Each structure stands twice: as C-alpha cells, then as structure tokens.
Amino acid sequence: MALVRHVVPVLFSGLLCAVQLGAQDQTGAVTGKVIDATTQQALPSVEVAIAGSPNRMLTRTDGSFLLSGLAAGIHRLRATRIGYSPQLQDITITPGGTVTANITLVPAAAILEAVVVTGYGTQRREAITGSVSTIDGNAANVGVVNNVNNMVQGRAAGVTIIQNNGEPGAGAQVRIRGGTSISASNEPLYVIDGVPINNAPTEPGGFGVGGEPPLPRSPLNLINPSDVASITILKDAAATAIYGSRAANGVVLIETKKGSNAVGGGAGVEYDGYVAMASASKHLDVLNGDQYRLFATGQVGVWRSDSTSACTARPTVCQNFFKDSVAGKLGGLSPSHLAALGQLVKTGPNPGDTARIVYNTNWENELERTAVTHNHNLSFAGGGEDTRYRASLNFMNQEGVAISNAFQRVQGRLNATHNAFDNRLRLGLNVTTSHTKNDYITFESTAGFEGGVFQNVAIFNPTQPVRVTDPTSGQQTYYELLGQTSVRNPVALANQITDIGQTTRTLGNATAELDLVRGLTAQVNVGVDRSDGFRNIYLPKASPVGASFGGLARQSSLDNTTVTLQTLLTLRRQLGDIHSLDVVGGYEFSKFNTGNLTTQGQGYVTDALLFNSPGAAQTITDFSGRELSRQVAFFGRANYGLRDRYFLTGVLRYDGSSRFAVGHKWALFPAVSGSWRISEEPFMRDHGFSELRLRAGYGLQGNPGVPPYSSLLTLNPDPGARYPFGGVPVSGVIPTRDANPTLKWEQTAQFNVALDYGFLNNRVSGSVEYYVKNTSDLLLQVSNAQPAFASERLTNVGKVRNKGLEISVDALALSRPNFTWRAGLVFAAERNRVVDLGPYSSIATGTVSGQGQSNVNAQRILPGQPIGTFFGPRFLRVNAQGQQVFACVAASAGCVNGESLSPTANDYTIIGNANPDFTLGLHSQVNWGKFDISFLIRASVGQDVFNNTALVFGTKSDALQDKNFLVSALTDPTGIHEPAIYSSRWVEGASFVRLQNLTVEYRLDVPLLSGSARSARLYVSADNLFVLTGYSGLDPEVSNLASGLNPSAGLQARSIDYLSYPRPRTITGGLRLTF
Amino acid sequence: MTTSLVTKPIGAVGFRLLLLVTALLPLGCTNLDESPPSAITPANFYRNEGEVLSSLAGIYAQLRGTLDDYYNVSEISTDEMIVPTRGSDWYDGGQWLELHHQTWTPVSPVGNGFGNGIWVTAFTGIARANALLEVLPNLTFTSRDTVAAEVRTLRAFYYYFLMDTFGGVPIATTTQIQARPRATRDSVFRFIQAELTAARAVLPATWPAASNGRLTQGAVDAILASMYLNAAVFDKDVGVSPTTYNSCTTVTIGAQNACQAAIAAANSILNSSAGYQLADSFAQSFRANSASKENILVIKFAPVADIGLNFVMRSLHYNQYTPTPWNGFAILAETYNAFDAADHRRDAILQGAQYNVETGQPAKDRAGNPLVFTINIADETQATEGEGPRLYKWPADPKHVAQNNGNDYAWFRLGEILLIKAEAMNELTPGDPAALALLNQLRARPKQTVAPALAGPIARDLILQERRFELTGEAKRRQDLIRHGKYTQAWGYKPASAAFRMLLPIPQTQLDANPLLKQNPGY
C-alpha cells in the first residue's frame, strides 16, 4: 500500500507537473455515530457524506465515522443507508477542530439506495427524472435463486419474468413493459458493472430428434446471485436513451458487490449454503395401466354391439371395420387393440400355453424424481482505506425433477479497487469466470417430433413395462414398442441419449477513473466477454431413435467474444445551494465475434465411443460459420437541478451499427425528461407528504435485434440445393438472402409520466406511472414481391403501441424494537395493440403442435388487436355422435343453422387474448426478534392460454393407435374417432395466484460460534408452494415462445402450453455465516 | 461555496494528455462496413465454370420443389387422389380435405399454403435463373452459351407451372425486387414459347453421361408439345370452358394451329437423334437407376440426404417401409375401378393384403392385424389406417438413405408424348385411326403387353381415360380435366364446383407483398 501511495506519485511527478498532495489549508473534521431509531443499535455501512462533495465514507461496524480535511464553515452532512430514510444535518467546522455529530436513522418502507446506477455512472435518487426500479441484492436473494432473473420476479412493476420451464438452468423470458417487437428480440439489454453484455446463446444448439431448436440459456447464468449488490431496471426512454439503439426493451443494470460493502468495510468471510429438495408440483394425470385396460376393453365391447347391423346395411364398406348404423361413424375399438395391452408370455411348453401380463406403469413416476440441489458460496473481502477486494466462489449442483437432467455451475469472482492520489484516481477490476454444465434430456422444446420424454410419458401405453428381459441374452433391456410411429420409451430416451452442454464464460472489466479538476472526472472502462460453449450428443444404436441413424454423434462448439471500450467524462457541479449540474459524455465501441463448428457422424460400429469419436462414422458432415459485427456510439447526458426541486435531463446518443444497410447504419436517439419535487416546495410543507415528486419524460430508443449481414445479398452452398448431374451430386450455391438497402433500426418512442410519493416520514412510499410506447419501423420478415431469392426478407414496416399503468406501494406497517413488518405491492397493467402491419392484413403465428396439426396456427397478429390474439373456430358443443360442432358463417361450405362440423377459414374469429389484464406482486418481510419471515406472492389476471396439451391428449382418439391420454378424456363426450381440431375449446382462462416464495430465517446465538462468527443465520424456504388457478393444464404461466429458431426473436406467439418441463415445488434449508 | 479535497488541478500537461487520449480513442473506430467471413457475396463469386455450374445446380435443384405443392394440387384436387383424415393423423387444419373438396380461398390453408408454395417455389427458381443470366454475359468459358440456354429453359419451365396454376403472372427477367403487374396468361404463354424456341437452337440433343439429366432439345420439345395441346386453356384469361373440351385447333401458333404445332413438337422428339424409345415394360421408367430411354425431362434424384424422392413416404402404411412412412395419400376408388382388371398399369396401385415393400413380409396394421388396403374409403373425414388403395409407382430404391430414394421423376416421358400426339391428331381428324394406333402402341410395350389393345373408335374421352391409366399420379390429371372441361364436376367426396376453381387464387401473402397483383375472378 505504501508503495502505491508514495512511489506512484514520484513516478508520475515528472508527468503531472503541478501535483499537489496533502492539504495545506485550515481544515477540520467531523466524527460521530449512526444508530437505528427503532432498535437504538449502531448501524454499520451507512454512507456519511458532505452534500455536494465527493468526501464520504461508510460507517464502521460500531456505527462510527470520521470525515476529515473539511474546510471551515457550514456543511450539510448527509447519512444514507438502504432501508432508511436519508437524514440531513448541518455542521459547523472550525479550523483544526473536530465536531461530533450523532445521527439517528428512521427505517423506511422501501429498501432504496440513495445513489442509483443509471448507466454510465450514478445519480442521486432525487435527481432521477426517468423511470427506474431498483432491487436490493440481499433482500431478493431468498429461496433457490439460481439466476439473477429470479431476484427480479414480482419485485419490479412492469417487469415480467417467466421461466421458460422447470428445467434446471433454463432461460427466462424477460419483458420490461411488454414486448414491443413482433419479430426482433424483446429481451432487455443487460449491463454488468457498466459493461453491456452480448445476450447471445453461449451453447450450441441441440440436435433435437426431429430438428427442433433448443431454448437458449440466460446470459445471467454466468453470475452468482449472491454476488449481486443491486439490480437497477431502466424502463422509460428518459432512463434508457443513454443506451440508445440497444435500449428499446429496457435495460437491466447489475452491480456486483465490491470489497467495501461486503461486511461493513473490514475484512470478513461469508459462507452461505443450502440444500434444496424439488419435486414436480403437478402431474399430467394420464390413465394408469388399470384405467387404460378398462377403457380399451370397454371400447371393444362397444365395437361389437354396433357391428352386426352396420355390416348388413353397408357390406361394401365393411371389409375390415364396422360402422355405427345410426350416424355412419365408427364406434369403439376393434378387438385387435386388446393385443396392445401388456405382454403375452409363455407359461408352458405347448403353443397355447400363454398368459397376458398387463402392467400398471406410471410413466410419470418412472421419469420424475425428487431432485436435490446444493449450493455453496464462500466470499471474503477486505482491504484498507485505499485498496479493497472481494473474492467469491460458488458451486451449485441442481438436479432436474426429470431423471438424467442436471445443471452445474462453478464460478469465481474477483473484485478489486484501489484509490490513489487522495482518492482522485480510482482503479477497479472485476473478473468473473464461470463454468456451467448442462446434462440435457430431450424434452418437447428441444426434441422435436419423437424425442420428447414428456410426450412419451403422455402417450406410452401404461399397460407396458419399463424393462423386459431379453429372451436371447437374458438381460434386462428397455421395453420399446415395435411398429409404432413416434412412440418411445421415455425412461430409455432419458437414460440412453447423451446430451451434455458446457460453457466457460469469462467476463472481465477494468476501469480507471480520474478526477481532473473539481467535479470533472474522466473514466476509461475496458471489458472483455468471452464464452466457449460445447455441446456433445450421442444417440446410441441401442435406442430406436439412434438406431435409425446407426448411431449419431455430434460435437459442436460456439464461441462468442465481445470487446467493449468506453471513455467517459463526467462533470458534477453543485453551485451553491441553488444549481446542480451533472453531465456525462462518452464514447463506446463494441466488437462482436461469434463462430461455430459442428461435426456430426452417422453410422457407428459400436456405441462404446459415445460422442468422442465422430470420425469413426460412415458418414460425416461438418458445418461452421463466423459472424462479426461492430457497434459505435457517442453519447451525452446532462442533468440540471434547481434548488434540489426542479430537475431537467437531456440525453443524446448517436449510434452506429454495422448490421444495417449502408446509409442507415447511424441513428440519433434523444430523450428529455424533468421532475418536480413538489414536497420540497414551501407551500407543501406540513401537508403530510414526506416525498411528492412529478416526473415526465419522452425519448427514442432503438432495437438492433437483427443478425449481422441482414441487409446484404448473400449466397450459400446449401445441401438442399445440390443436384445430381449424371448421378453425382454437384454442390449448389444459391442466393439465400435478398439485399435490403434500406434496412435500419426498429424505433420506439416512449412517453412516461409518474408521481412518486411518500408520507408518514416515508413509512409509506411508492410511485404511480403511466407510459405510452409507440414502436415503428418494426423489423418484420415481409414477403418479397416475387421473383426473389427468398420468400421473405427483413424489412422495416408496421407499428405497435404499448400503454401501461404501474403502481407500487411500499409500507413499513409496523416498527417496534423487536418487530418490524415491511410490505410492498407492485401492480402493472399493460395494453398492447398492433397498429399497422405494413403490407400484411394479418400474420399467422403460434404453431399448433401435435399429430394432424401441420400448418395450423393458434394465433394471428392482426392490426387493431394485441400481439397474442388467439384466432380460430369457435367451439359450440359436442353433438350426440361425439363430433365437435363449431360456429360458422352462412357463406361457408357445410354451414347449417350457424353450425358446422368442419369449419373453414371464413369461420375463424378471435377466440382469446394471451395478455393479462393486470399483474400483481406482493412481497413482505417481518423481522420478529431473531426471526425474519418473508414471502412473495405473484398474481396474473385475465390472460388466456391455449392448452395444446389438452388438444392433443385430452380426447380419446389416441387410443386408436394404442396411445395413452389424459384422464379427463374418459368423461369427455368427444367420439374416439374425432380428429383433434384447434378451436376456442382449448383456449382457457389462466388467471393465477402463486406463492412464489416463503422464507423463515432464524438468527442463531450459538455460544460456540459467537466468539468467531459475527452472525449465523439458519433458514428454511419454500418455492412455488401453491398456485391458485382455474387453468386445467400443468401450469398457467407459460413462456411466450416465438415460432422461430430463437425464442427471443422470431414471430411472437404468446401463452401456448405444450408439455413443458414441469415447474418444481422446492423446499430449501440453508445457513449463512459471517466471520 | 464549499471547498473540498479535489479542488486542486492535477496538472496542465497531464490534463491535456488525458484529453488527447480521450479524444483520440474514438478515431479509427467508426468503420461499420460489413464483409461476411463465412458467406459468399456476388462480389467474390461467379468467377469460373465450376462456380457457374454450382449456381446452375441450384436452379435445377428447385425443380424438386415442384413435386410438393404443385404435385399435391395437381393430384389431390382431382378424381385420382385424396388424403383422408385418419383418426388424429392428417387433419392438418383441414387442408387436405379442403384441397380435395376444392373449397379453398386466397387465405385458406390451400390457397395461401399450397398455392403460395407453388408461387414461391417457381418464382425462386426464376430469381435464381435471372441472377445467373445477369452475370453470364461478363464471363468467358466454353459452355457459356449452352448454360445460358439451359437457364432460360429452366426459367421458362418455372413460368409454365405458374401459368398452369394461376393464369397470367408477372414476367420478370431482372433480379430487382419490385412490384410488377400480372401479364396476361397469353403473354406468359408466348413468352415461354419464345424463350424455349430460342434456347432450343443452342441446346444439345443429348449430353455426355457425366451430365446426364441436364436439359436437351427433347425437353424443350416436350414442354412445347404440352403447351400447344393445352393452348386453348393457356391462351386466355377468361373464356376457358368448364364443361366442354378446349381444343388446340382454336389457337394459332405461327402459320399453323396449336394442334399441328403439338404434333410437330411430338414428331421432333420421335425423330430425335437422342433415340427416345418406349421402355420395355411399364414399370421400368420409374425405378431407381432405370436408364430408361423413355424419359425426356426428368428431375434427378439420388439416394443421398436432402436430394432423394420421398413418394414412398406419402402413400405407404407405417409398417411397409423403413423409416416409417406417413400413411397418407390414397387413390380414389373412381380411378382404381376405372382400370381394366387386365391392365398391368393398375399393378402400381396397392390394394388388398399388404406386405413390407422391402422385406416382403406380410404387413400388420398398428393394432397388429394383417394390413389390408380397401378400395373404398367410407368416410374421408374418419378413415381407418387401411382404407384406400395406394400408389406405388416409384418403387423403393434398394440403396435408399432414410427416406431419400434415387428414382428419377419424369415430368415428360415418351409415353405421354404419344398421348399428346394422339390427342392432337384426334382434334385435327376426329376418330383418326392413326391416333388409336399410338394408344395401342403404349399398351403393347416392347417386352410387355401392358393391357389389351383398344378396339376404338378413338374419341376424346377414350384418350382422357388412357391418360389416366398411363399417367396415374404423374401430376397431369388437373391439367387434363381442365382441358377436357371436367375439372369442376362432382366425384368421390366432392360436389360440383364453380368454373373459377380452374385457376387457383393468387395467395393472400403475395397480394400483400405486391399491391399490383389483381386477384383471379371468383375469389
């Protein structure tokens, strides 16, 4: 330390000629102690600062502080801490003297930091004019939090986070103020410690038995939630415009813990670990073996009774089936279906010595398990006045509730800061590296037509066993049905297919901040983000899936490198008590480089090699690619404050991206906003408001969510464009993309007005916000006027409007020495409307899954309607013949009295809306003696969900192919021979209330520990304890998967529920120790 | 004013240095030009014959796409084929029954699905052709002009599919993407004819073995013969008769009528130095690696991933082939029953007890019963898995890789040329015995008596029936029924339909994309 403090100035003194160190003036100091008004206990980690100057420090463990080198005169001392109302106190400094100031902090309703990270710097909370939500890392880190996204869920108004499914390590859909883009990305921009993160998949896609794409993992899997100090969400244009072109979907700023605020300054060690048990919270409820056997035999009985008369009446059509004599429709099952029940085994030497063993297999139980997760964090922090560090380690192993499925993370992080030249030069370094390992199973979203374990759980005949003894070898093998299409033993699928994804990602950034003159700071920030992802897959010959390829091995890699450079100049001036000025100007350059390489082999002699030797295959295919892009920006933000009452902010950002067409690569994104702290006005004094502030803002944001080269005409050697001349395939090179010389940013103009309030000394506080977002020049795949190389190209057309109301209330309901109760409520209502679709009258989206559902779409994007509008025939009833009857218009064929059995396109109408009327989040913390009790409840009201699972498995027709179905179909009147037809019948209301988390924490007084441990806390936590809903499917909360390669881009489809990986119910027990 | 610790200047030189560094960093970092490292752009391609042949392969490859939507519409909207709903299989939003019932609209699964597929497939082929034709004049290599003639022929052939399906379409010969109005159907007809005639002068009669499958003079003659026979349909936007025969005698081609032109085109094939001749047996031309001298214009397939023929998958039962077929397309009883029981061409249609086509073992249905294909389908909305006969004209390739079979598909073969010539002759001289002789030539192949000889007299209906027998499942039925004024009649599960159904609607997607397009009347 001494070395830095003394040698560095010497080294630089030749360069920095007039360096003057140390204070020669007549100065004084202030010392004192901060205590909690309720408990009268000392408060550590309180920031004590001289208003309008950077002179500040954090109180020590005993609540004490000392600020020295203060000029003589009157100063305003400000004490702020998360969870307390800030306190101001005037002090008078005399030359050479030390004054004492003791400060008492009153707990506040909301846990708010005084200084908010707002992008390229921080702002005082009072000065913020945009819409910003902040979440305290420690307060939100309860229960099984394996991803930072979990910490935001239900805690910020207008932020919707839906886990894609219950798979460990699964990604989540994050929407800030709704999705505004129809086909470009709707994901927010993530900024970790000031460096924007490239939110691109880090792991190569799976093979998918049938070729379906996998769901991408969240980029935040990289971060250990315990390292998060705070999360700031920038919602409106005034707040996000500083991020310009990448900000249309909002910005999530994550600040990680620094050495200084780990444990109140001094060195400390923290350990935090938990063990969790998870199991599926709800089951599909398909027939068990006994139920299926009863059903099948019953249907065969029906068949027999109908047959005689029918065959007499219509002999020509009675060759191998029988007709129902009344309706001319088939009834029941032919007796041959009895052969599909169980196994015929030999019981004696004679040919007739056989018996049928009908098994009673619960495939869901066979596939699922009680999964164990354990997680360990160890961190230590320390340092002195000038150099501080914090290091942390995390290990997490999470089992999936489905067998053969797990997520593992090992992560390390180092943060170091150093101050030199009397705190005028501040250096910082953050390095995070993580290794994640996913053990995948092939489920619906990743597995395609026949690889899905959950589909097979639903359909696999429950009268069949999981394993049989192979008569030739005498060994136990998985039982597989022969001669069945797309029906595989799900237990075998899970166990036999190897699919492992591993990613190593390192994120490093270094900053140097130098105070040039008073209030003027220059900063350079360099960040590197590198990820290497590998995916290894083997489909063995032992599995019927792999057998069709003779064994298939695949090794693929995906690398991403992002380099970011920022240079910033910040000017902060407080001119007396009247004017304050806060200006940031800067430049940012980012370079993205991503490449992939895949080797795939088919046809192996043995399964022994797994994926390790693709080269041993009969046929090998390789594919690879690389993409580069760059982004450049110049930006500035000025915040002017008058009398700490009126604030005005202006933002300008000039952004360039290589991904757009020549001449359209650059765009300007401005924003202006202002706020008025009404409560500071003299006339508002003593009106009960401790805080009342009006804010309004308007600005433009861009969406660059297009792949590189989107505007260029490119040609590709395409395997499908090969053509055999003389029997030998010649490689075909075809233009695959038409040039679009006018491709540019998708642009969102957002208007925001808000009222922040606080009364009863901020024991109740919150805000009410209203916004309107108009998105234009939508990036849409638009059909080309033919002839063209591709049927569609990315074009800027159309408009979408989002409007919304957000209300948040935080209250400190009770505050007693041994009992405090805080509660917070967030409410959001959003309305989305497609205003214009350019040349389109409508766009079909939301592919319906299942047999016989090719080219069927559940939703339409229609002008005048929200994105997520269900569109199809309106179901009326099931008639006496077991046929589905639909409403129709007179003009369509087969329409009698407004009813039709086979609806046509004319009869399709709007049959539902996937968007909720409103969402609610209620979080509460009770501190009672040594107990801390917290819970989080989320609710979503008014949305519809298309239960695709019920469409496919909710009627009996699967039994025609000896497949199982849902128990609910037993009482359903739909005939067994009726095809599954998408209609309003399968679109259900899906309002829900979910107890997301309940945690009870106890502070231990262990005599043995009290000597060494500063605190020890034990907790028990339950996640997803219950869901109240009328929805009949597995889970009413459905991720908005788009139809397209990347669920975060591609045409938006919302709320389609098809055999998703069940969300687990989890019980966690944990321990937090601080030494 | 308060004073603080940071009031002292850090030094003029240091400050200037820092400002300089800050100011310099942005320079040189604002270049946003793109050059893809792993994709080809026109700037670095089309430099030699090899690259041009790769580009040519891409234009040929698009021909395979005609066997999807164009094929489906040409067969399933007629009395030859149907795709019944089988339990939970093949409902697919009602598209297959809509196609058979001819109840499509511009926005329906057929109109905007199959129809859009035909439109996009053909026009993509045209776009690729235009792209290559634009760069060819700048290149010099020996076969350049022949390649150009091939590309023009391919482009004309793609226009042929569009003209047949939709009537008049925009004619584009440049790569620019722009809204263009529809040309009249007759203009498209004349454009195709002019292009083919020009290309014919440059194309060879045959190719060396290594280029087998590329377009020849014979291929051009075959397209022309088909166009001339259908000229009375293809030359008008309105006035095609839905109920009476549309005769080629009513259309003038140069100095003769279209029937004479069709006969002339057929004759140049018959007299070609390529030596076309009927295959020894009826089945031979459809086999993998048949080397049949009967095939004139083929789509080449190979038993290789992505580029094989998958017809076995569409029709066969799940348990008749590996990988598992789809058990969909069925032959209508009307067509199956129309055959003379002695006609061996019916052998290509599977009916009755079934076998695995690869192993020869008796096949079972999914419930374990012996698999039997019935002639009739009792209810097309609720068919069982064994209902309806199946076409098995292109037999499984023993070397198939998964669903990819190496059987070539002949868009034109000599058998049809004889039928075209016979039909045109009968128009010129109704009852012409020489025309009947051509039909009987088909029934007595060099090494197989396909069917008993016809006694005559020859008539239009007799020729139409013979085309059905000879060309079952070869995607000619819709065109034939329209020419004969029978496409809108009732059959099977379809009631009589309106005259405007003879053209497909312009798909809504295309109307949206190109505001200059006008919809066909009736839609």
mmCIF file of all heavy atoms in Angstrom, chain B residues 88 149 212 244 255 315 326 335 338 343 351 417 449:
data_model
loop_
_atom_site.group_PDB
_atom_site.id
_atom_site.type_symbol
_atom_site.label_atom_id
_atom_site.label_comp_id
_atom_site.label_asym_id
_atom_site.label_seq_id
_atom_site.Cartn_x
_atom_site.Cartn_y
_atom_site.Cartn_z
ATOM 1 N N SER B 88 -56.354 -39.212 -35.626
ATOM 2 C CA SER B 88 -55.729 -37.929 -35.319
ATOM 3 C C SER B 88 -54.666 -37.547 -36.346
ATOM 4 O O SER B 88 -54.073 -36.485 -36.256
ATOM 5 C CB SER B 88 -55.107 -37.979 -33.911
ATOM 6 O OG SER B 88 -54.210 -39.057 -33.821
ATOM 7 N N ALA B 149 -28.628 -21.137 -72.320
ATOM 8 C CA ALA B 149 -29.839 -21.725 -72.913
ATOM 9 C C ALA B 149 -30.547 -22.627 -71.901
ATOM 10 O O ALA B 149 -31.784 -22.636 -71.815
ATOM 11 C CB ALA B 149 -29.466 -22.522 -74.164
ATOM 12 N N ASN B 212 -25.672 -36.312 -67.662
ATOM 13 C CA ASN B 212 -26.991 -36.886 -67.850
ATOM 14 C C ASN B 212 -27.995 -36.245 -66.903
ATOM 15 O O ASN B 212 -27.722 -36.077 -65.720
ATOM 16 C CB ASN B 212 -26.891 -38.407 -67.604
ATOM 17 C CG ASN B 212 -28.248 -39.063 -67.560
ATOM 18 O OD1 ASN B 212 -29.172 -38.600 -68.210
ATOM 19 N ND2 ASN B 212 -28.347 -40.129 -66.782
ATOM 20 N N THR B 244 -66.898 -28.042 -71.610
ATOM 21 C CA THR B 244 -66.641 -28.688 -72.900
ATOM 22 C C THR B 244 -65.143 -28.672 -73.182
ATOM 23 O O THR B 244 -64.382 -27.917 -72.577
ATOM 24 C CB THR B 244 -67.368 -27.947 -74.049
ATOM 25 O OG1 THR B 244 -66.904 -26.594 -74.056
ATOM 26 C CG2 THR B 244 -68.867 -27.997 -73.855
ATOM 27 N N ALA B 255 -47.836 -20.142 -88.339
ATOM 28 C CA ALA B 255 -48.618 -20.369 -89.549
ATOM 29 C C ALA B 255 -49.586 -21.530 -89.395
ATOM 30 O O ALA B 255 -50.296 -21.879 -90.337
ATOM 31 C CB ALA B 255 -47.672 -20.646 -90.729
ATOM 32 N N SER B 315 -47.464 -42.315 -49.318
ATOM 33 C CA SER B 315 -48.600 -43.202 -49.514
ATOM 34 C C SER B 315 -48.550 -44.466 -48.676
ATOM 35 O O SER B 315 -49.581 -44.948 -48.226
ATOM 36 C CB SER B 315 -48.698 -43.576 -50.998
ATOM 37 O OG SER B 315 -47.479 -44.155 -51.415
ATOM 38 N N TRP B 326 -45.760 -42.317 -43.913
ATOM 39 C CA TRP B 326 -46.724 -41.409 -43.291
ATOM 40 C C TRP B 326 -48.176 -41.854 -43.470
ATOM 41 O O TRP B 326 -49.075 -41.271 -42.905
ATOM 42 C CB TRP B 326 -46.524 -39.999 -43.856
ATOM 43 C CG TRP B 326 -45.113 -39.517 -43.736
ATOM 44 C CD1 TRP B 326 -44.239 -39.787 -42.717
ATOM 45 C CD2 TRP B 326 -44.392 -38.694 -44.653
ATOM 46 N NE1 TRP B 326 -43.022 -39.178 -42.946
ATOM 47 C CE2 TRP B 326 -43.091 -38.491 -44.121
ATOM 48 C CE3 TRP B 326 -44.707 -38.085 -45.870
ATOM 49 C CZ2 TRP B 326 -42.117 -37.728 -44.775
ATOM 50 C CZ3 TRP B 326 -43.746 -37.323 -46.517
ATOM 51 C CH2 TRP B 326 -42.464 -37.147 -45.966
ATOM 52 N N THR B 335 -60.817 -43.924 -59.626
ATOM 53 C CA THR B 335 -59.678 -44.171 -60.504
ATOM 54 C C THR B 335 -59.286 -45.638 -60.483
ATOM 55 O O THR B 335 -59.068 -46.257 -61.534
ATOM 56 C CB THR B 335 -58.500 -43.266 -60.082
ATOM 57 O OG1 THR B 335 -58.814 -41.934 -60.464
ATOM 58 C CG2 THR B 335 -57.199 -43.681 -60.755
ATOM 59 N N ALA B 338 -61.672 -47.683 -62.468
ATOM 60 C CA ALA B 338 -61.739 -47.392 -63.900
ATOM 61 C C ALA B 338 -60.845 -48.320 -64.709
ATOM 62 O O ALA B 338 -61.084 -48.557 -65.897
ATOM 63 C CB ALA B 338 -61.326 -45.938 -64.139
ATOM 64 N N ASP B 343 -55.322 -54.679 -66.923
ATOM 65 C CA ASP B 343 -54.361 -53.616 -67.222
ATOM 66 C C ASP B 343 -53.237 -53.646 -66.180
ATOM 67 O O ASP B 343 -53.472 -53.407 -64.994
ATOM 68 C CB ASP B 343 -55.076 -52.255 -67.186
ATOM 69 C CG ASP B 343 -54.230 -51.146 -67.778
ATOM 70 O OD1 ASP B 343 -52.984 -51.235 -67.666
ATOM 71 O OD2 ASP B 343 -54.803 -50.201 -68.342
ATOM 72 N N GLN B 351 -53.474 -52.668 -53.336
ATOM 73 C CA GLN B 351 -54.824 -52.868 -52.791
ATOM 74 C C GLN B 351 -54.880 -54.284 -52.266
ATOM 75 O O GLN B 351 -54.182 -55.168 -52.772
ATOM 76 C CB GLN B 351 -55.858 -52.612 -53.900
ATOM 77 C CG GLN B 351 -57.306 -52.609 -53.457
ATOM 78 C CD GLN B 351 -57.953 -53.971 -53.564
ATOM 79 O OE1 GLN B 351 -57.641 -54.735 -54.465
ATOM 80 N NE2 GLN B 351 -58.835 -54.280 -52.626
ATOM 81 N N ILE B 417 -45.827 -38.282 -74.635
ATOM 82 C CA ILE B 417 -45.702 -37.615 -75.941
ATOM 83 C C ILE B 417 -46.608 -38.314 -76.965
ATOM 84 O O ILE B 417 -47.269 -37.667 -77.789
ATOM 85 C CB ILE B 417 -44.221 -37.611 -76.401
ATOM 86 C CG1 ILE B 417 -43.364 -36.863 -75.362
ATOM 87 C CG2 ILE B 417 -44.089 -37.006 -77.794
ATOM 88 C CD1 ILE B 417 -43.761 -35.417 -75.109
ATOM 89 N N THR B 449 -46.973 -56.815 -72.668
ATOM 90 C CA THR B 449 -48.312 -56.400 -73.041
ATOM 91 C C THR B 449 -48.919 -55.776 -71.803
ATOM 92 O O THR B 449 -49.245 -56.453 -70.830
ATOM 93 C CB THR B 449 -49.158 -57.599 -73.499
ATOM 94 O OG1 THR B 449 -48.477 -58.209 -74.590
ATOM 95 C CG2 THR B 449 -50.532 -57.146 -73.922
#
